[in-house]
């Protein structure tokens, strides 16, 4: 079946695919950064003793985790203009990805924080560190360190989730495949090329994750 | 105006429930298929046969490395080119099952790997066959690490069924998409869609959490 692929057309559309690959990469990276910020805030709020903080954080995390990303994407896409908030498709997409991934990142970080022995926090409190100092010097460095492989996993999820942005016509990797498929009536060429490029990103991230895990093990020995 | 749209949305609730029923059907069939095939592949991966191991690991990587949307497009648009006609419902169930099987098999394989090899060795020494070992020794113990992430995976698969709306299957998400063309209040319409998904997924998430604390013992209970 691979011999049957029309390579000439794929080469012709290659610039479009590379554009899409670049767009997918930076959309995912940007969303990951956003998700990390949202995730840290949500995780800290969730673990806080003040219920006015932990309540909304729990609600945010559970609502996001219980509804599909596509429904969330449509929610912002069709809903925000009604509030007078006119975002471009790309901005809407990044917003949806960030808020979606933020909830999962918060849960990943929470697992990382919970793995820290509570004696460390008690010692930090006893030595007079403030809340933010404890967070900055004791909790976050360790929580992020152990959770890097999980965060890279989240990056893989983000790269794949960003495919849904094609449905609100954001130009990225899946959109490039869709364009080839519909302009030339060649779905095989379009979607197999798209899949191959996603696999390229996936294996790179997987290698990175494996390398980091090895590093972590050697560090602790 | 808002009131008018709200009333209008309330009259179309039956369509949403119809869509929910399609979602439940697609999700139900795919979950059963994924669990069945996933357990088979997960167990098969522990067989000491290099080619089989590589084949299954390769399949899992292919599925995990590509978005479900692209897999769905491949099944829906490319199979007909190869002379296999699939309509939307079968394409949705087929691609979701292929997709879910990979993740379930990974969870099952991971769970089986946590069982100390001494257990299997002892079972071999007592003369149990491969199937008997799996059935009576390995799987009953492996269920403990398997069940919590499995339920979590079910939630992910149920949510991913929303993607099949793009090939024209009238599930809840597509009903929302169709309704929003008529009632231009996206927050309200997709709020309702969200509520319907929430009613299915949240109890499962709670179940997964409950299984986790029940089967694995609680955390350290740290508070910041």
């Amino acid at each position: 079946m691979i011999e049957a692929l029309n390579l000439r057309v794929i080469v012709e559309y290659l610039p479009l695919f590379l554009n899409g690959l670049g767009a997918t990469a930076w959309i995912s990276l940007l969303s990951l950064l956003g998700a990390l910020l949202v995730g840290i805030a949500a995780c800290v709020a969730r673990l806080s003793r003040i219920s006015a903080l932990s309540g909304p954080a729990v609600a945010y995390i559970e609502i996001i985790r219980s509804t599909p990303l596509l429904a969330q994407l449509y929610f912002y896409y069709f809903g925000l203009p009604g509030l007078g908030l006119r975002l471009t498709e790309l901005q809407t997409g990044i917003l949806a990805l960030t808020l979606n991934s933020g909830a999962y990142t918060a849960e990943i970080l929470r697992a990382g924080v919970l793995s820290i022995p509570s004696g460390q926090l008690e010692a930090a409190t006893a030595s007079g560190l403030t809340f933010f100092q404890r967070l900055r010097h004791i909790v976050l460095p360790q929580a992020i360190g152990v959770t890097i492989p999980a965060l890279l996993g989240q990056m893989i999820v983000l790269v794949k989730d960003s495919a849904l942005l094609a449905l609100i016509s954001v130009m990225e990797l899946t959109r490039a495949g869709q364009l080839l498929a519909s302009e030339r009536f060649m779905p095989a060429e379009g979607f197999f090329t798209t899949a191959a490029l996603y696999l390229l990103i996936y294996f790179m991230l997987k290698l990175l994750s494996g390398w980091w895990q090895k590093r972590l093990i050697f560090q602790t020995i | 105006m808002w009131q008018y749209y709200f009333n209008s949305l309330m009259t179309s609730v039956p369509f949403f429930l119809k869509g929910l029923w399609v979602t439940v059907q697609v999700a139900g069939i795919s979950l059963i298929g994924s669990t069945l095939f996933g357990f088979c592949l997960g167990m098969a991966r522990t067989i000491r046969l290099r080619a089989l191991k590589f084949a299954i690991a390769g399949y899992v990587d292919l599925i995990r490395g590509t978005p479900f949307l692209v897999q769905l497009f491949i099944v829906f648009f490319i199979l007909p080119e190869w002379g296999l006609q699939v309509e939307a419902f079968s394409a949705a169930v087929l691609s979701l099952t292929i997709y879910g099987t990979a993740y379930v098999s990974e969870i099952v394989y991971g769970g089986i790997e946590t069982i100390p090899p001494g257990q299997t060795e002892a079972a071999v020494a007592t003369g149990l066959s491969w199937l008997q070992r799996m059935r009576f020794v390995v799987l009953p113990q492996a269920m403990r690490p398997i069940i919590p992430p499995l339920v979590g995976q079910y939630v992910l698969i149920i949510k991913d069924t929303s993607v099949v709306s793009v090939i024209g299957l009238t599930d809840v998400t597509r009903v929302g998409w169709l309704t929003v063309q008529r009632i231009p209040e996206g927050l309200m319409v997709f709020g309702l869609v969200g509520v319907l998904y929430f009613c299915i997924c949240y109890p499962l998430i709670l179940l997964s959490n409950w299984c986790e604390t029940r089967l694995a013992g609680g955390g350290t209970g740290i508070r910041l």
Side-chain angles (χ1 to χ4, degrees), chain B residues 14-30 88-90 92-93 96 158 161-162 164-165 168-175 197 200:
Chain B
F15 296 111
F16 281 86
L17 293 181
K18 242 181 217 167
L20 190 65
W21 175 232
V22 174
T23 296
V24 168
Q25 278 175 309
V26 172
I29 302 176
S30 326
F89 189 83
S90 334
V93 169
L96 268 172
I158 293 172
T161 59
S162 64
V164 305
S165 62
L169 207 64
T170 324
D171 72 334
V172 194
T173 306
R174 184 155 170 82
V175 171
Y197 276 109
I200 302 182

Side-chain angles (χ1 to χ4, degrees), chain B residues 59 63 68 71 94-103 157 160:
Chain B
Y59 158 70
I63 297 298
F68 174 63
Q71 295 163 19
L94 182 65
S95 49
L96 268 172
T97 307
I98 294 174
Y99 169 79
T101 299
Y103 286 91
I157 295 176
D160 281 326

Side-chain angles (χ1 to χ4, degrees), chain A residues 47-48 62 65-68 70 74-75 78-79 83 104 114 116 160 163 167 187-188 191 195 198-199 202 206, chain B residues 61-62 64-67 69 73 78 81 103 159 162 166 186-187 190 194 197-198 201-202 205 220 222-224:
Chain A
L47 289 173
S48 128
E62 300 299 359
R65 291 207 307 162
S66 312
T67 50
L70 185 58
Y74 285 157
F75 181 79
F78 291 112
L83 295 179
Y104 290 93
L114 290 180
I116 300 170
K160 293 190 289 170
L167 299 176
F191 294 126
Y198 274 113
L199 283 174
Y202 169 73
K206 202 179 155 181
Chain B
D61 268 339
L62 279 186
R64 294 219 300 182
T66 50
L69 180 64
F73 280 157
I78 300 181
E81 280 212 332
Y103 286 91
K159 289 193 292 173
S162 64
V166 305
L187 296 181
F190 281 98
Y197 276 109
F198 188 87
C201 294
Y202 190 57
I205 289 183
T220 56
I222 206 172
R223 281 275 167 181
L224 287 180

Side-chain angles (χ1 to χ4, degrees), chain A residues 34-49:
Chain A
L36 210 54
L37 292 180
V38 174
I40 289 174
C43 169
V44 169
R46 172 153 192 189
L47 289 173
S48 128
R49 286 203 188 84

Side-chain angles (χ1 to χ4, degrees), chain B residues 59-205:
Chain B
Y59 158 70
V60 171
D61 268 339
L62 279 186
I63 297 298
R64 294 219 300 182
T66 50
F68 174 63
L69 180 64
V70 173
Q71 295 163 19
L72 181 71
F73 280 157
I74 288 179
V75 168
F76 188 63
F77 291 116
I78 300 181
L79 285 191
E81 280 212 332
W82 294 343
L84 199 70
Q85 284 303 331
V86 279
E87 30 88 38
F89 189 83
S90 334
V93 169
L94 182 65
S95 49
L96 268 172
T97 307
I98 294 174
Y99 169 79
T101 299
Y103 286 91
V104 173
S105 82
E106 186 76 1
I107 291 171
V108 171
Y109 175 65
I112 293 178
E113 287 285 280
T114 63
I115 306 300
Q119 296 275 339
T120 317
E121 285 158 16
V124 173
T126 34
L128 295 185
S129 72
W130 184 80
L131 255 184
Q132 286 172 324
R133 278 195 323 258
M134 277 294 161
R135 165 78 187 76
F136 297 111
V137 179
V138 177
L139 271 189
Q141 300 183 67
M143 285 323 266
R144 189 180 272 262
I146 286 175
I147 285 183
L150 187 65
V151 178
Q153 190 59 50
Y154 284 171
V155 176
L156 292 180
I157 295 176
I158 293 172
K159 289 193 292 173
D160 281 326
T161 59
S162 64
V163 175
V164 305
S165 62
V166 305
I167 58 168
L169 207 64
T170 324
D171 72 334
V172 194
T173 306
R174 184 155 170 82
V175 171
W177 192 86
L178 292 171
T179 308
V180 87
Q181 320 287 335
R182 194 163 48 82
I183 305 172
E185 280 286 342
L187 296 181
M188 217 158 66
V189 174
F190 281 98
L192 177 62
V193 172
V195 167
L196 292 174
Y197 276 109
F198 188 87
C199 291
I200 302 182
C201 294
Y202 190 57
L204 281 176
I205 289 183

